[in-house]
Short mmCIF file of all heavy atoms in Angstrom, two decimals:
data_model
loop_
_atom_site.label_atom_id
_atom_site.label_comp_id
_atom_site.label_asym_id
_atom_site.label_seq_id
_atom_site.Cartn_x
_atom_site.Cartn_y
_atom_site.Cartn_z
N GLY V 1 23.50 -28.86 54.12
CA GLY V 1 23.40 -29.04 52.69
C GLY V 1 24.03 -30.31 52.18
O GLY V 1 24.26 -31.28 52.92
N ARG V 2 24.34 -30.29 50.89
CA ARG V 2 24.83 -31.49 50.20
C ARG V 2 26.27 -31.37 49.73
O ARG V 2 26.72 -32.15 48.89
CB ARG V 2 23.92 -31.79 49.00
CG ARG V 2 22.46 -32.02 49.38
CD ARG V 2 21.58 -32.17 48.16
NE ARG V 2 21.44 -30.93 47.42
CZ ARG V 2 20.76 -30.79 46.28
NH1 ARG V 2 20.18 -31.84 45.76
NH2 ARG V 2 20.68 -29.63 45.65
N ARG V 3 27.00 -30.38 50.31
CA ARG V 3 28.35 -30.09 49.80
C ARG V 3 29.44 -30.27 50.88
O ARG V 3 30.54 -29.78 50.71
CB ARG V 3 28.39 -28.68 49.27
CG ARG V 3 27.22 -28.29 48.36
CD ARG V 3 27.32 -28.92 47.00
NE ARG V 3 26.00 -28.89 46.32
CZ ARG V 3 25.84 -29.14 45.05
NH1 ARG V 3 26.85 -29.43 44.29
NH2 ARG V 3 24.62 -29.11 44.50
N GLY V 4 29.07 -30.91 51.98
CA GLY V 4 30.09 -31.24 52.95
C GLY V 4 30.44 -30.19 53.98
O GLY V 4 31.45 -30.33 54.70
N LEU V 5 29.63 -29.12 54.05
CA LEU V 5 29.89 -28.09 55.05
C LEU V 5 29.46 -28.61 56.44
O LEU V 5 28.43 -29.30 56.57
CB LEU V 5 29.10 -26.84 54.78
CG LEU V 5 29.58 -25.94 53.60
CD1 LEU V 5 28.56 -24.89 53.34
CD2 LEU V 5 30.95 -25.35 53.91
N HIS V 6 30.23 -28.31 57.47
CA HIS V 6 29.91 -28.70 58.83
C HIS V 6 29.66 -27.45 59.66
O HIS V 6 30.44 -26.51 59.65
CB HIS V 6 31.01 -29.53 59.47
CG HIS V 6 31.09 -30.94 58.93
ND1 HIS V 6 31.67 -31.22 57.69
CD2 HIS V 6 30.63 -32.11 59.45
CE1 HIS V 6 31.56 -32.54 57.48
NE2 HIS V 6 30.93 -33.07 58.52
N VAL V 7 28.53 -27.46 60.40
CA VAL V 7 28.15 -26.32 61.23
C VAL V 7 27.85 -26.83 62.65
O VAL V 7 27.46 -27.97 62.83
CB VAL V 7 26.93 -25.57 60.66
CG1 VAL V 7 27.25 -24.94 59.33
CG2 VAL V 7 25.70 -26.49 60.55
N THR V 8 27.98 -25.94 63.61
CA THR V 8 27.64 -26.31 64.97
C THR V 8 26.13 -26.32 65.15
O THR V 8 25.39 -25.60 64.46
CB THR V 8 28.25 -25.27 65.99
OG1 THR V 8 28.03 -23.94 65.49
CG2 THR V 8 29.74 -25.51 66.12
N LEU V 9 25.66 -27.17 66.06
CA LEU V 9 24.22 -27.23 66.33
C LEU V 9 23.66 -25.87 66.66
O LEU V 9 22.56 -25.51 66.25
CB LEU V 9 23.94 -28.23 67.46
CG LEU V 9 24.25 -29.71 67.23
CD1 LEU V 9 23.85 -30.52 68.48
CD2 LEU V 9 23.56 -30.23 66.02
N LEU V 10 24.41 -25.14 67.47
CA LEU V 10 24.01 -23.81 67.82
C LEU V 10 24.76 -22.81 66.92
O LEU V 10 25.99 -22.75 66.93
CB LEU V 10 24.41 -23.49 69.28
CG LEU V 10 24.07 -22.09 69.77
CD1 LEU V 10 22.56 -21.82 69.74
CD2 LEU V 10 24.57 -21.88 71.21
N GLY V 11 24.00 -22.09 66.13
CA GLY V 11 24.57 -21.03 65.30
C GLY V 11 24.26 -19.67 65.83
O GLY V 11 23.72 -19.50 66.94
N PHE V 12 24.59 -18.67 65.07
CA PHE V 12 24.43 -17.27 65.51
C PHE V 12 23.59 -16.53 64.43
O PHE V 12 24.01 -16.41 63.29
CB PHE V 12 25.77 -16.59 65.66
CG PHE V 12 25.69 -15.16 66.07
CD1 PHE V 12 25.57 -14.79 67.42
CD2 PHE V 12 25.73 -14.11 65.15
CE1 PHE V 12 25.48 -13.47 67.81
CE2 PHE V 12 25.64 -12.80 65.48
CZ PHE V 12 25.53 -12.47 66.85
N GLY V 13 22.43 -16.03 64.85
CA GLY V 13 21.61 -15.21 63.96
C GLY V 13 21.92 -13.73 64.16
O GLY V 13 21.78 -13.26 65.27
N ALA V 14 22.33 -13.06 63.13
CA ALA V 14 22.87 -11.70 63.27
C ALA V 14 21.86 -10.60 63.00
O ALA V 14 22.28 -9.42 62.86
CB ALA V 14 24.09 -11.54 62.33
N ALA V 15 20.61 -10.92 62.97
CA ALA V 15 19.59 -9.87 62.80
C ALA V 15 19.59 -8.86 63.97
O ALA V 15 19.54 -7.63 63.74
CB ALA V 15 18.20 -10.45 62.60
N PRO V 16 19.66 -9.32 65.21
CA PRO V 16 19.63 -8.34 66.33
C PRO V 16 20.76 -7.31 66.31
O PRO V 16 20.53 -6.18 66.73
CB PRO V 16 19.68 -9.24 67.58
CG PRO V 16 19.05 -10.52 67.14
CD PRO V 16 19.53 -10.68 65.73
N ILE V 17 21.94 -7.70 65.84
CA ILE V 17 23.02 -6.70 65.82
C ILE V 17 22.85 -5.75 64.65
O ILE V 17 23.60 -4.77 64.53
CB ILE V 17 24.42 -7.35 65.80
CG1 ILE V 17 24.67 -8.15 64.52
CG2 ILE V 17 24.63 -8.22 67.04
CD1 ILE V 17 26.10 -8.55 64.33
N GLY V 18 21.87 -5.99 63.83
CA GLY V 18 21.42 -4.99 62.79
C GLY V 18 20.38 -4.05 63.37
O GLY V 18 19.74 -3.33 62.63
N GLU V 19 20.16 -4.10 64.68
CA GLU V 19 19.27 -3.22 65.42
C GLU V 19 17.80 -3.61 65.20
O GLU V 19 16.94 -2.75 64.92
CB GLU V 19 19.54 -1.77 65.14
CG GLU V 19 20.98 -1.38 65.51
CD GLU V 19 21.27 0.10 65.46
OE1 GLU V 19 20.77 0.81 64.54
OE2 GLU V 19 22.01 0.59 66.36
N LEU V 20 17.53 -4.89 65.30
CA LEU V 20 16.16 -5.41 65.29
C LEU V 20 15.47 -4.99 66.60
O LEU V 20 15.88 -5.43 67.66
CB LEU V 20 16.19 -6.92 65.15
CG LEU V 20 14.84 -7.67 65.18
CD1 LEU V 20 14.04 -7.29 63.95
CD2 LEU V 20 15.07 -9.16 65.26
N TYR V 21 14.49 -4.15 66.51
CA TYR V 21 13.67 -3.66 67.62
C TYR V 21 14.41 -2.65 68.55
O TYR V 21 13.75 -1.86 69.20
CB TYR V 21 13.15 -4.78 68.50
CG TYR V 21 12.31 -5.82 67.80
CD1 TYR V 21 12.58 -7.17 67.94
CD2 TYR V 21 11.25 -5.43 66.95
CE1 TYR V 21 11.81 -8.14 67.26
CE2 TYR V 21 10.47 -6.39 66.29
CZ TYR V 21 10.76 -7.76 66.48
OH TYR V 21 10.01 -8.69 65.84
N GLN V 22 15.70 -2.74 68.65
CA GLN V 22 16.42 -1.90 69.62
C GLN V 22 17.77 -1.50 69.06
O GLN V 22 18.37 -2.19 68.26
CB GLN V 22 16.59 -2.64 70.95
CG GLN V 22 17.44 -3.88 70.81
CD GLN V 22 17.59 -4.65 72.13
OE1 GLN V 22 17.35 -4.11 73.19
NE2 GLN V 22 18.04 -5.90 72.03
N ARG V 23 18.26 -0.35 69.53
CA ARG V 23 19.59 0.14 69.14
C ARG V 23 20.67 -0.75 69.78
O ARG V 23 20.55 -1.19 70.94
CB ARG V 23 19.78 1.58 69.59
CG ARG V 23 18.85 2.57 68.87
CD ARG V 23 19.44 2.94 67.52
NE ARG V 23 18.71 4.02 66.88
CZ ARG V 23 19.10 4.65 65.78
NH1 ARG V 23 20.23 4.29 65.18
NH2 ARG V 23 18.38 5.63 65.27
N VAL V 24 21.72 -0.95 69.04
CA VAL V 24 22.91 -1.68 69.52
C VAL V 24 24.13 -0.93 69.04
O VAL V 24 24.23 -0.60 67.86
CB VAL V 24 22.92 -3.12 68.96
CG1 VAL V 24 24.16 -3.88 69.43
CG2 VAL V 24 21.64 -3.88 69.37
N SER V 25 25.03 -0.67 69.94
CA SER V 25 26.25 0.09 69.53
C SER V 25 27.21 -0.81 68.75
O SER V 25 27.08 -2.03 68.76
CB SER V 25 26.98 0.55 70.79
OG SER V 25 27.59 -0.50 71.47
N ASP V 26 28.09 -0.16 68.00
CA ASP V 26 29.09 -0.92 67.25
C ASP V 26 29.90 -1.85 68.15
O ASP V 26 30.13 -3.00 67.83
CB ASP V 26 30.03 0.04 66.51
CG ASP V 26 29.41 0.64 65.24
OD1 ASP V 26 28.49 0.02 64.70
OD2 ASP V 26 29.86 1.73 64.85
N ASP V 27 30.32 -1.29 69.29
CA ASP V 27 31.15 -2.08 70.20
C ASP V 27 30.37 -3.30 70.72
O ASP V 27 30.90 -4.42 70.76
CB ASP V 27 31.60 -1.24 71.37
CG ASP V 27 32.67 -0.24 71.00
OD1 ASP V 27 33.28 -0.39 69.89
OD2 ASP V 27 32.92 0.69 71.78
N GLU V 28 29.10 -3.08 71.07
CA GLU V 28 28.31 -4.21 71.60
C GLU V 28 28.00 -5.21 70.51
O GLU V 28 28.09 -6.42 70.76
CB GLU V 28 26.99 -3.64 72.17
CG GLU V 28 26.11 -4.68 72.87
CD GLU V 28 26.52 -4.93 74.31
OE1 GLU V 28 27.64 -4.55 74.70
OE2 GLU V 28 25.72 -5.56 75.04
N GLY V 29 27.71 -4.76 69.32
CA GLY V 29 27.39 -5.68 68.25
C GLY V 29 28.60 -6.58 67.89
O GLY V 29 28.45 -7.78 67.75
N CYS V 30 29.76 -5.96 67.77
CA CYS V 30 30.98 -6.74 67.43
C CYS V 30 31.36 -7.65 68.60
O CYS V 30 31.79 -8.82 68.39
CB CYS V 30 32.10 -5.80 67.05
SG CYS V 30 31.81 -4.90 65.53
#
């Protein structure tokens, strides 16, 4: 963006730990 935030080239998309397509336990998700 335009506000000076710095992010790593590789980020983390958290849709799969919301059980996208498959069940994921709390322990595994965290």
Side-chain angles (χ1 to χ4, degrees):
R2 299 175 292 177
R3 314 285 163 168
L5 288 172
H6 286 78
V7 295
T8 45
L9 295 183
L10 178 63
F12 179 85
I17 65 168
E19 302 190 320
L20 178 66
Y21 303 130
Q22 62 182 343
R23 294 278 189 172
V24 178
S25 71
D26 282 336
D27 287 345
E28 185 83 344
C30 293

